[in-house]
Amino acid sequence: MSTIDRYLTKEIIKHFIIVLMTATGIYLSVDFFENVDKFINAGLPVSRILLFFQLKLPLIAAQITPVGILLAVLITFGLMNKNNAVIALNSGGMSVYHFLRPILFLGLLITVGLFFLSEIVVPITISKANEIWRREVKKYTITSTHKNIWFKGHHSISHISYFNPKDQTISGITLNYFDQQFRLTRRIDAAKGRFKQGRWVFYDTMEQVLNPKTGSYDVEVQNEKVEDIDFLPEDLQRAAKKSEEMSFQELYRYVQDVEAEGYDATPYRVDFHGKFALPVACLILCIIGTGITLRKNTNQGLSVPIIYGITVVFLYWISQSFCFSLGYGGMLSPVIAAWTANFIFACIAGFSLLNAE
């Protein structure tokens, strides 16, 4: 590795750490002040609050890394431009592609690092953080293991086989109602449920009601039935295991299990491919940052490239969110939904390098 490569690598890593620490600190501060009243109301001790935020750190770092590496590249080359170092090196015969070597090395390194962070560390830590939030802060009576969700209500226990966050429908529902002696007085089984106008509507139901005279159960079958129950789609959204709580292998098995039972796992398929697409974005944004700051005949200061970079990040997240939404809605295949934003910005990265050269 040449002296210039070592210098660029050291400077980019230094600025990346500064940006990552600053952004993480801001994120945690905002998150704390937004939820401090909830911590106080729940009576959570300071040690548990600190543990909660410590457990969230890996996920925050994973989310901020693409932004951090882009800003680090922009700051490094922006300072070199300000001091005319880039012009001097160009005069010595160095092209844009000489500068690109350490950028590609760092981009690949961070891509691989982010991949393993999301695979090994994040699922464990965010699962524990969400468990603290659910049980100790919000005190939910809902528990879930993968796709099976249990809800304890007033004299009732409900089981839901699968919750689809895309259209907020539930499948494989069993509602059990008990009396004071914990005797089953009523049970409803339904193939599917949908939340409409503030109420749950169940389809293909079989209701069993205890007859106190005979001690047997009267059975009634209906195509559609409205039932007042103790949970909302928002509660299920919080209880359902999220994609970031699962590793790639766990998420893949989860998708296979859900589809084997006949349920729609499209949102989780999109998230599965997204777990591969997000780390690659680091490499693409590095190249875009290099192209932005190494354009010839530029007299712009440091602030302008940084504004360009923030704009690029904003447009990337908008594009990615839009494509993911189309994927969740089934308008795009999961693979295309997850990788379209990367493909578009890879083209932009190539164009920015050609323009810089």
mmCIF file of all heavy atoms in Angstrom, residues 32 39 43-55 132 136:
data_model
loop_
_atom_site.group_PDB
_atom_site.id
_atom_site.type_symbol
_atom_site.label_atom_id
_atom_site.label_comp_id
_atom_site.label_asym_id
_atom_site.label_seq_id
_atom_site.Cartn_x
_atom_site.Cartn_y
_atom_site.Cartn_z
ATOM 1 N N PHE A 32 -33.842 9.116 23.809
ATOM 2 C CA PHE A 32 -34.009 9.176 25.265
ATOM 3 C C PHE A 32 -35.055 10.217 25.654
ATOM 4 O O PHE A 32 -35.962 9.932 26.451
ATOM 5 C CB PHE A 32 -32.671 9.503 25.929
ATOM 6 C CG PHE A 32 -32.789 9.745 27.410
ATOM 7 C CD1 PHE A 32 -32.907 8.680 28.287
ATOM 8 C CD2 PHE A 32 -32.789 11.039 27.918
ATOM 9 C CE1 PHE A 32 -33.029 8.892 29.654
ATOM 10 C CE2 PHE A 32 -32.912 11.264 29.276
ATOM 11 C CZ PHE A 32 -33.028 10.186 30.149
ATOM 12 N N PHE A 39 -40.138 5.713 30.540
ATOM 13 C CA PHE A 39 -39.257 5.039 31.482
ATOM 14 C C PHE A 39 -39.645 5.378 32.923
ATOM 15 O O PHE A 39 -39.672 4.505 33.793
ATOM 16 C CB PHE A 39 -37.796 5.442 31.236
ATOM 17 C CG PHE A 39 -37.253 5.002 29.909
ATOM 18 C CD1 PHE A 39 -36.457 5.850 29.145
ATOM 19 C CD2 PHE A 39 -37.530 3.745 29.413
ATOM 20 C CE1 PHE A 39 -35.950 5.454 27.923
ATOM 21 C CE2 PHE A 39 -37.028 3.330 28.186
ATOM 22 C CZ PHE A 39 -36.233 4.189 27.438
ATOM 23 N N GLY A 43 -41.288 2.993 36.003
ATOM 24 C CA GLY A 43 -40.458 2.758 37.175
ATOM 25 C C GLY A 43 -39.184 2.011 36.864
ATOM 26 O O GLY A 43 -38.655 1.269 37.707
ATOM 27 N N LEU A 44 -38.658 2.195 35.663
ATOM 28 C CA LEU A 44 -37.464 1.471 35.235
ATOM 29 C C LEU A 44 -36.231 2.073 35.910
ATOM 30 O O LEU A 44 -36.026 3.296 35.859
ATOM 31 C CB LEU A 44 -37.324 1.555 33.708
ATOM 32 C CG LEU A 44 -36.733 0.350 32.985
ATOM 33 C CD1 LEU A 44 -37.631 -0.852 33.150
ATOM 34 C CD2 LEU A 44 -36.547 0.653 31.505
ATOM 35 N N PRO A 45 -35.379 1.271 36.557
ATOM 36 C CA PRO A 45 -34.167 1.822 37.177
ATOM 37 C C PRO A 45 -33.174 2.302 36.126
ATOM 38 O O PRO A 45 -33.232 1.891 34.954
ATOM 39 C CB PRO A 45 -33.609 0.633 37.959
ATOM 40 C CG PRO A 45 -34.174 -0.570 37.301
ATOM 41 C CD PRO A 45 -35.525 -0.168 36.780
ATOM 42 N N VAL A 46 -32.259 3.148 36.555
ATOM 43 C CA VAL A 46 -31.277 3.733 35.631
ATOM 44 C C VAL A 46 -30.442 2.644 34.961
ATOM 45 O O VAL A 46 -30.112 2.738 33.775
ATOM 46 C CB VAL A 46 -30.363 4.727 36.382
ATOM 47 C CG1 VAL A 46 -29.265 5.250 35.457
ATOM 48 C CG2 VAL A 46 -31.177 5.882 36.938
ATOM 49 N N SER A 47 -30.115 1.588 35.714
ATOM 50 C CA SER A 47 -29.291 0.516 35.150
ATOM 51 C C SER A 47 -29.984 -0.159 33.971
ATOM 52 O O SER A 47 -29.341 -0.493 32.968
ATOM 53 C CB SER A 47 -28.971 -0.525 36.228
ATOM 54 O OG SER A 47 -30.171 -1.089 36.750
ATOM 55 N N ARG A 48 -31.315 -0.351 34.053
ATOM 56 C CA ARG A 48 -32.059 -0.980 32.959
ATOM 57 C C ARG A 48 -32.191 -0.034 31.771
ATOM 58 O O ARG A 48 -32.169 -0.469 30.615
ATOM 59 C CB ARG A 48 -33.443 -1.414 33.430
ATOM 60 C CG ARG A 48 -33.443 -2.446 34.530
ATOM 61 C CD ARG A 48 -32.775 -3.738 34.100
ATOM 62 N NE ARG A 48 -33.614 -4.504 33.173
ATOM 63 C CZ ARG A 48 -33.229 -5.616 32.579
ATOM 64 N NH1 ARG A 48 -32.001 -6.085 32.793
ATOM 65 N NH2 ARG A 48 -34.043 -6.273 31.764
ATOM 66 N N ILE A 49 -32.324 1.259 32.048
ATOM 67 C CA ILE A 49 -32.396 2.243 30.958
ATOM 68 C C ILE A 49 -31.081 2.256 30.182
ATOM 69 O O ILE A 49 -31.065 2.243 28.946
ATOM 70 C CB ILE A 49 -32.715 3.643 31.507
ATOM 71 C CG1 ILE A 49 -34.102 3.652 32.168
ATOM 72 C CG2 ILE A 49 -32.661 4.689 30.394
ATOM 73 C CD1 ILE A 49 -34.435 4.950 32.867
ATOM 74 N N LEU A 50 -29.966 2.278 30.934
ATOM 75 C CA LEU A 50 -28.658 2.271 30.278
ATOM 76 C C LEU A 50 -28.456 0.979 29.486
ATOM 77 O O LEU A 50 -27.920 1.010 28.371
ATOM 78 C CB LEU A 50 -27.551 2.423 31.325
ATOM 79 C CG LEU A 50 -27.480 3.780 32.040
ATOM 80 C CD1 LEU A 50 -26.395 3.768 33.110
ATOM 81 C CD2 LEU A 50 -27.221 4.905 31.030
ATOM 82 N N LEU A 51 -28.886 -0.140 30.048
ATOM 83 C CA LEU A 51 -28.758 -1.411 29.335
ATOM 84 C C LEU A 51 -29.590 -1.394 28.058
ATOM 85 O O LEU A 51 -29.143 -1.892 27.011
ATOM 86 C CB LEU A 51 -29.206 -2.564 30.237
ATOM 87 C CG LEU A 51 -29.208 -3.960 29.600
ATOM 88 C CD1 LEU A 51 -27.797 -4.352 29.156
ATOM 89 C CD2 LEU A 51 -29.785 -4.998 30.551
ATOM 90 N N PHE A 52 -30.787 -0.829 28.135
ATOM 91 C CA PHE A 52 -31.663 -0.748 26.963
ATOM 92 C C PHE A 52 -30.978 -0.011 25.816
ATOM 93 O O PHE A 52 -30.974 -0.487 24.671
ATOM 94 C CB PHE A 52 -32.962 -0.033 27.346
ATOM 95 C CG PHE A 52 -33.870 0.273 26.192
ATOM 96 C CD1 PHE A 52 -34.633 -0.725 25.597
ATOM 97 C CD2 PHE A 52 -33.963 1.562 25.688
ATOM 98 C CE1 PHE A 52 -35.471 -0.445 24.530
ATOM 99 C CE2 PHE A 52 -34.804 1.849 24.617
ATOM 100 C CZ PHE A 52 -35.553 0.842 24.050
ATOM 101 N N PHE A 53 -30.361 1.136 26.120
ATOM 102 C CA PHE A 53 -29.703 1.907 25.062
ATOM 103 C C PHE A 53 -28.405 1.259 24.606
ATOM 104 O O PHE A 53 -28.031 1.357 23.431
ATOM 105 C CB PHE A 53 -29.457 3.341 25.533
ATOM 106 C CG PHE A 53 -30.700 4.181 25.546
ATOM 107 C CD1 PHE A 53 -31.266 4.595 26.738
ATOM 108 C CD2 PHE A 53 -31.321 4.549 24.365
ATOM 109 C CE1 PHE A 53 -32.417 5.365 26.751
ATOM 110 C CE2 PHE A 53 -32.476 5.314 24.364
ATOM 111 C CZ PHE A 53 -33.025 5.726 25.562
ATOM 112 N N GLN A 54 -27.715 0.578 25.501
ATOM 113 C CA GLN A 54 -26.514 -0.159 25.090
ATOM 114 C C GLN A 54 -26.871 -1.266 24.099
ATOM 115 O O GLN A 54 -26.145 -1.501 23.128
ATOM 116 C CB GLN A 54 -25.823 -0.756 26.316
ATOM 117 C CG GLN A 54 -25.112 0.257 27.185
ATOM 118 C CD GLN A 54 -24.595 -0.341 28.476
ATOM 119 O OE1 GLN A 54 -24.741 -1.541 28.721
ATOM 120 N NE2 GLN A 54 -24.005 0.487 29.324
ATOM 121 N N LEU A 55 -27.984 -1.928 24.355
ATOM 122 C CA LEU A 55 -28.413 -3.005 23.468
ATOM 123 C C LEU A 55 -28.866 -2.476 22.103
ATOM 124 O O LEU A 55 -28.831 -3.212 21.112
ATOM 125 C CB LEU A 55 -29.550 -3.794 24.117
ATOM 126 C CG LEU A 55 -29.162 -4.637 25.341
ATOM 127 C CD1 LEU A 55 -30.401 -5.182 26.034
ATOM 128 C CD2 LEU A 55 -28.231 -5.781 24.940
ATOM 129 N N ILE A 132 -37.070 -5.820 26.748
ATOM 130 C CA ILE A 132 -37.152 -4.850 27.850
ATOM 131 C C ILE A 132 -38.266 -3.851 27.596
ATOM 132 O O ILE A 132 -39.050 -3.510 28.492
ATOM 133 C CB ILE A 132 -35.795 -4.121 28.024
ATOM 134 C CG1 ILE A 132 -34.724 -5.089 28.523
ATOM 135 C CG2 ILE A 132 -35.927 -2.943 28.994
ATOM 136 C CD1 ILE A 132 -33.334 -4.488 28.581
ATOM 137 N N GLU A 136 -41.015 -4.554 30.325
ATOM 138 C CA GLU A 136 -40.748 -3.697 31.472
ATOM 139 C C GLU A 136 -41.253 -2.268 31.291
ATOM 140 O O GLU A 136 -41.587 -1.609 32.276
ATOM 141 C CB GLU A 136 -39.250 -3.690 31.779
ATOM 142 C CG GLU A 136 -38.693 -5.073 32.093
ATOM 143 C CD GLU A 136 -37.217 -5.051 32.419
ATOM 144 O OE1 GLU A 136 -36.746 -4.034 32.967
ATOM 145 O OE2 GLU A 136 -36.530 -6.044 32.106
#
